[in-house]
Amino acid sequence: MSSPLSIRKGTSQSRDAVQAAQDLYDALDQPGIKLAVFYCASDFDLPALAEALRQRFKDINLIGCTTAGEITPQGYLAGALTGFSLASSELDVATQAIKLDPFDSVGTASNVTALMEGLGTRDTLPPSATDTFAFLLIDGLAMQEELVVSCVYQHLQGIELVGGSAADDTRFGATHLYHQGRFHQNIALLNLVRTKLPFVAFRTQHFVHSDKRMVVTRADPAHRIVHEINGKPAAREFARLVDLQITELTPMIFATHPVVVRIGGQYFVRSIAKVNQDESLTFFCAIDEGIVLTIAKGVDMVENLQHAFDSVRTTVGAPQLVLGCDCILRRLESEREGIKDKIGEIFANNNVIGFATYGEQFNSMHVNQTFTGIAIGQQA
């Protein structure tokens, strides 16, 4: 009987693009690869890296993206190239690139339907939530996540979706996705994976809501900019609510004091990216006027993450692999609090390969300051 799944993982810390690509290929190469995924620091020589990867992986279904930190078999790293490959005669994978500039919702809906139909050619039964999951990578600076995940999830017929927004450390200049031998901007990569192994999609956040509420009174949702909160300049009012001066608002502060919105009885984080010169705030996701936001309070990140993986193990057993997407603000907070190694150890103990993102996707939602993942368990 053939093995249900063969997984190879690897990392290179070489800063030479050609050597790093060779290291990754040596680690991931195996017969019958259905999908290979990599994550790389954004300051690699990307054209050189793309060419080196193309020469080595050739026609293998290899995808990847730039990051704000890499989750590797050794834990959290920065400036590395890491990834995994999946192979099995019992595994089916379908990959579709989605253009974001402009985003065509009708065309995307048709492509998702076609992808679903193509994945069902092996078996008489179509793919379903019991045997298929969706994994999405998307340009983290295209500001299209809400539209894309809403459209895609609507046509997945209940199949769960997890994903992450490509990043470029804390530069916010340009993010890239790799597909068919080169790096691209303004695209998303949708992957459907069908397997007989148990798996679970999950998310966790280490924040609870407080009693400090604020109303968005003027905003530009298309550009994710909030101009006014409670009728006052947004950054100045936010600073007042967290007992700071506007000059003290930094990415570290935003990591510590995120805001949450209540949707369907659950709280979702809406993280702030930066302060603008006009005292407006740019968010990592769209914010509408009239929405009520609550400043959140943090709980123990290590304990929260460990609890999440304990729940995963209860559901699917010890994971063979977790496709992980961890928000950049969680990475920054873990560094500031001196717990990055502990977080990395939990990731390593649970076979997480992933990256620090500019946002995470979970089913139809674009979220922030969460860890989202797909855990693939052992054979039943």
Side-chain angles (χ1 to χ4, degrees):
M1 179 179 177
S2 61
S3 172
L5 188 64
S6 176
I7 301 171
R8 298 282 177 88
K9 300 177 289 183
T11 304
S12 175
Q13 296 189 61
S14 172
R15 300 302 296 153
D16 177 78
V18 174
Q19 184 60 55
Q22 185 65 55
D23 292 344
L24 187 70
Y25 178 76
D26 290 343
L28 303 192
D29 184 35
Q30 60 175 321
I33 294 175
K34 297 293 182 67
L35 177 67
V37 180
F38 74 85
Y39 308 105
C40 68
S42 61
D43 59 354
F44 268 104
D45 181 338
L46 295 182
L49 181 61
E51 177 62 18
L53 290 170
R54 186 189 64 79
Q55 289 183 6
R56 285 155 181 80
F57 285 87
K58 301 187 186 305
D59 59 351
I60 289 172
N61 183 19
L62 174 69
I63 65 169
C65 71
T66 57
T67 79
E70 301 80 48
I71 304 173
T72 78
Q74 295 79 40
Y76 242 130
L77 293 177
L81 173 67
T82 193
F84 64 86
S85 66
L86 305 177
S88 171
S89 60
E90 299 181 12
L91 184 74
D92 288 313
V93 178
T95 300
Q96 175 69 52
I98 301 171
K99 293 182 179 180
L100 305 181
D101 186 21
F103 174 62
D104 178 4
S105 60
V106 175
T108 297
S110 298
N111 287 337
V112 173
T113 299
L115 212 63
M116 294 274 287
E117 291 173 349
L119 205 63
T121 55
R122 174 191 293 266
D123 300 318
T124 56
L125 295 176
S128 70
T130 61
D131 64 8
T132 304
F133 63 82
F135 179 62
L136 183 77
L137 295 176
I138 186 168
D139 188 325
L141 294 177
M143 297 188 181
Q144 298 287 333
E145 288 99 333
E146 289 88 357
L147 290 174
V148 173
V149 295
S150 177
C151 176
V152 169
Y153 185 69
Q154 182 180 354
H155 294 88
L156 285 177
Q157 301 176 20
I159 289 171
E160 292 202 284
L161 178 149
V162 162
S165 302
D168 67 337
D169 200 36
T170 56
R171 299 177 186 87
F172 302 102
T175 60
H176 295 82
L177 280 76
Y178 179 95
H179 181 236
Q180 293 183 341
R182 66 187 185 92
F183 283 98
H184 308 259
Q185 292 179 272
N186 290 306
I187 70 165
L189 296 172
L190 175 65
N191 304 273
L192 297 183
V193 179
R194 193 174 194 181
T195 176
K196 295 180 180 180
L197 291 171
F199 60 85
V200 62
F202 66 104
R203 73 178 182 94
T204 189
Q205 61 191 43
H206 64 294
F207 291 97
V208 295
H209 62 282
S210 71
D211 57 358
K212 291 184 177 181
R213 295 186 177 183
M214 54 192 192
V215 179
V216 176
T217 48
R218 188 162 69 91
D220 178 0
H223 296 94
R224 299 177 175 174
I225 296 174
V226 173
H227 292 281
E228 291 183 358
I229 291 172
N230 299 335
K232 300 174 183 177
R236 192 167 297 277
E237 179 66 358
F238 178 82
R240 183 189 69 81
L241 289 168
V242 296
D243 300 318
L244 294 171
Q245 298 298 314
I246 193 171
T247 55
E248 297 178 279
L249 298 182
T250 65
M252 286 292 189
I253 293 299
F254 297 140
T256 307
H257 301 284
V259 297
V260 295
V261 60
R262 188 174 183 180
I263 301 174
Q266 298 185 61
Y267 284 92
F268 295 90
V269 178
R270 294 288 182 261
S271 294
I272 301 169
K274 62 179 180 177
V275 178
N276 302 312
Q277 288 187 348
D278 62 355
E279 297 189 358
S280 63
L281 294 172
T282 295
F283 279 68
F284 278 112
C285 56
I287 298 290
D288 291 319
E289 290 182 2
I291 196 170
V292 178
L293 300 172
T294 303
I295 296 177
K297 299 183 296 185
V299 297
D300 189 297
M301 187 192 297
V302 174
E303 182 178 332
N304 172 267
L305 187 63
Q306 185 60 61
H307 178 73
F309 279 106
D310 289 345
S311 296
V312 164
R313 287 171 174 265
T314 298
T315 304
V316 299
Q320 295 189 71
L321 177 70
V322 175
L323 287 67
C325 302
D326 196 34
C327 183
I328 180 178
L329 294 177
R330 288 171 55 91
R331 192 212 83 188
L332 291 173
E333 182 182 352
S334 70
E335 290 174 350
R336 189 199 68 224
E337 298 297 325
I339 58 173
K340 186 178 178 181
D341 288 345
K342 292 182 179 179
I343 296 295
E345 184 179 355
I346 294 174
F347 287 153
N349 289 342
N350 289 278
N351 290 316
V352 180
I353 301 293
F355 71 112
T357 76
Y358 278 177
E360 305 79 57
Q361 291 79 53
F362 191 81
N363 292 336
S364 64
M365 297 290 294
H366 174 53
V367 295
N368 301 129
Q369 217 148 340
T370 68
F371 177 85
T372 62
I374 292 279
I376 302 174
Q378 306 288 335
Q379 186 173 13

